Amino acid sequence: RVLLPPLTIAPTNVTISGYLVRRTDRAVTHPHAGTHATRVATGGVPPYRYSTDTPQRLQVDASSGRVIGIRNGSGRVIVTDSRGSTASYPVTIQNVWYIANYGGARHNLATMNATANNAGGKMPRISDYGNMRTAYAGDPGGYANDYYWVEDTHAWGSHWLCRPTDGVTFGSNDNRGVGCIGVLLRT
């Protein structure tokens, strides 16, 4: 009879702290550097299956073990071998944000600022929409194909507007009702 080594995975905490802007209703398909980690199990009887006890915070690939932080806080990745043995390790998630989309209606800058303040968030930057497009391979989905207010300002003193669907920016010289509203919030 051959004695198999026990199923093991390094039990130390993994911290995932890369800046990630995501949608709360859609799995991240293309996590960028610092927003994911992979820890591989050994021993036991392969193949292994990876999961989590906190799916509201961790997105785990069942076969590779890659974990993406989707909500700030902590959770646990669990690996199970084909005999049913388990091992696990803790994960801490930091720096995950989302952009609450207020639809395709157009508003002035004062309404944008009031909405952000009332929601406890802030105006997204052009780079925040870019970060979200990266997380979804260029298609954040669910946004009107229109321009949204952003925090970035241009040389004429007004705020830029950014189209989340493709990142095209538009410089507004006035603050009439020209922009849609998205608010950057911590998850």
Side-chain angles (χ1 to χ4, degrees):
R1 183 175 135 170
V2 175
L3 224 51
L4 296 173
L7 174 67
T8 60
I9 196 162
T12 57
N13 186 69
V14 169
T15 298
I16 300 174
S17 60
Y19 187 67
L20 175 65
V21 180
R22 66 177 297 266
R23 292 188 48 142
T24 57
D25 62 345
R26 189 171 169 200
V28 173
T29 57
H30 290 76
H32 38 284
T35 64
H36 63 95
T38 303
R39 187 172 275 178
V40 180
T42 59
V45 181
Y48 307 122
R49 187 179 59 77
Y50 297 86
S51 62
T52 181
D53 60 357
T54 48
Q56 70 278 16
R57 289 205 173 96
L58 305 176
Q59 180 181 314
V60 179
D61 182 276
S63 59
S64 72
R66 179 181 73 176
V67 58
I68 302 167
I70 57 173
R71 188 169 189 87
N72 297 310
S74 59
R76 184 163 290 282
V77 172
I78 302 159
V79 59
T80 306
D81 72 3
S82 61
R83 271 192 319 201
S85 297
T86 62
S88 66
Y89 66 94
V91 180
T92 301
I93 305 302
Q94 303 168 339
N95 218 11
V96 178
W97 298 76
Y98 74 100
I99 299 176
N101 182 3
Y102 287 79
R106 297 164 73 78
H107 302 276
N108 64 24
L109 182 60
T111 303
M112 170 66 224
N113 282 324
T115 302
N117 288 336
N118 289 339
K122 58 186 177 179
M123 289 177 69
R125 299 188 60 83
I126 294 169
S127 60
D128 293 326
Y129 283 111
N131 186 299
M132 185 171 57
R133 279 192 311 281
T134 298
Y136 297 103
D139 178 18
Y143 288 84
N145 193 27
D146 206 338
Y147 293 94
Y148 286 68
W149 286 107
V150 291
E151 183 181 312
D152 308 81
T153 57
H154 53 72
W156 302 305
S158 185
H159 288 261
W160 286 101
L161 298 162
C162 177
R163 199 164 52 201
T165 54
D166 58 12
V168 172
T169 56
F170 172 75
S172 172
N173 287 330
D174 62 30
N175 291 327
R176 293 189 304 249
V178 296
C180 300
I181 294 178
V183 177
L184 184 67
L185 297 162
R186 189 176 285 281
T187 63

